[in-house]
């Protein structure tokens, strides 16, 4: 289960980090922060969906549906942990400012996408068992 969790987290976090850099450098100056975040969001949802299926096919054969659900939840905790470390380290924000940013419309959409990220392995689990 740990290997599944780490791979799932790493794939999505890596893609999110790369897209976040592109969003910050290319989209935000032209569109503004909120619009740029909304543009990035569908790509991240699709990437997390793909990553869940990929990890289930490659690493989830021996896992039960319950284990997969816990792996998705653990990946969410890793995501938030690493995000907080990056926000605190790179941006110099406080945890309170980070939390406050999650209460804006783009922040709420982000939280919903993270919920989807955590649920995709559980949702896709039955489909990977039919093959």
């Amino acid at each position: 289960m740990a290997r599944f969790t780490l791979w799932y987290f790493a794939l999505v976090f890596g893609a999110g980090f790369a897209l976040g850099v592109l969003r910050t450098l290319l989209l935000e100056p032209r569109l503004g922060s909120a619009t740029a975040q909304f543009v990035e969001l569908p790509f991240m949802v699709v990437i997390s969906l793909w990553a869940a299926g990929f990890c289930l096919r490659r690493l989830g054969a021996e896992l039960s549906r319950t284990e997969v659900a816990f792996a998705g939840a653990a990946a969410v905790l890793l995501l938030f942990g690493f995000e907080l470390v990056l926000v605190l380290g790179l941006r110099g924000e406080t945890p309170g400012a980070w939390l406050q940013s999650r209460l804006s419309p783009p922040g709420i959409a982000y939280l919903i996408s993270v919920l989807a990220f955590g649920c995709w392995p559980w949702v896709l689990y039955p489909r990977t068992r039919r093959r």
Side-chain angles (χ1 to χ4, degrees):
M1 185 172 86
R3 198 170 82 169
F4 177 94
T5 302
L6 291 174
W7 272 100
Y8 183 46
F9 158 76
L11 288 169
V12 175
F13 184 80
F17 188 84
L19 285 177
V21 169
L22 293 174
R23 176 188 37 123
T24 302
L25 297 177
L26 301 176
L27 293 179
E28 283 186 12
R30 291 175 177 86
L31 304 175
S33 179
T35 302
Q37 289 176 52
F38 280 121
V39 168
E40 177 190 23
L41 194 64
F43 292 100
M44 285 307 303
V45 170
V46 169
I47 288 167
S48 67
L49 181 61
W50 171 83
F54 177 83
C55 289
L56 281 167
R57 287 187 302 277
R58 301 281 191 254
L59 305 168
E62 73 282 352
L63 298 178
S64 70
R65 193 166 192 189
T66 302
E67 289 172 319
V68 165
F70 279 112
V76 167
L77 292 176
L78 281 171
L79 184 70
F80 281 141
F82 271 76
E83 184 177 342
L84 271 174
V85 167
L86 284 173
V87 163
L88 296 175
L90 295 178
R91 292 187 188 170
E93 286 185 27
T94 65
W98 175 82
L99 184 59
Q100 186 66 31
S101 74
R102 296 301 170 220
L103 300 176
S104 67
I108 292 169
Y110 165 79
L111 292 174
I112 292 167
S113 74
V114 171
L115 178 63
F117 163 69
C119 292
W120 287 140
W122 183 81
V123 169
L124 295 178
Y125 182 85
R127 289 183 170 205
T128 61
R129 296 301 170 248
R130 290 189 212 139
R131 296 179 182 174

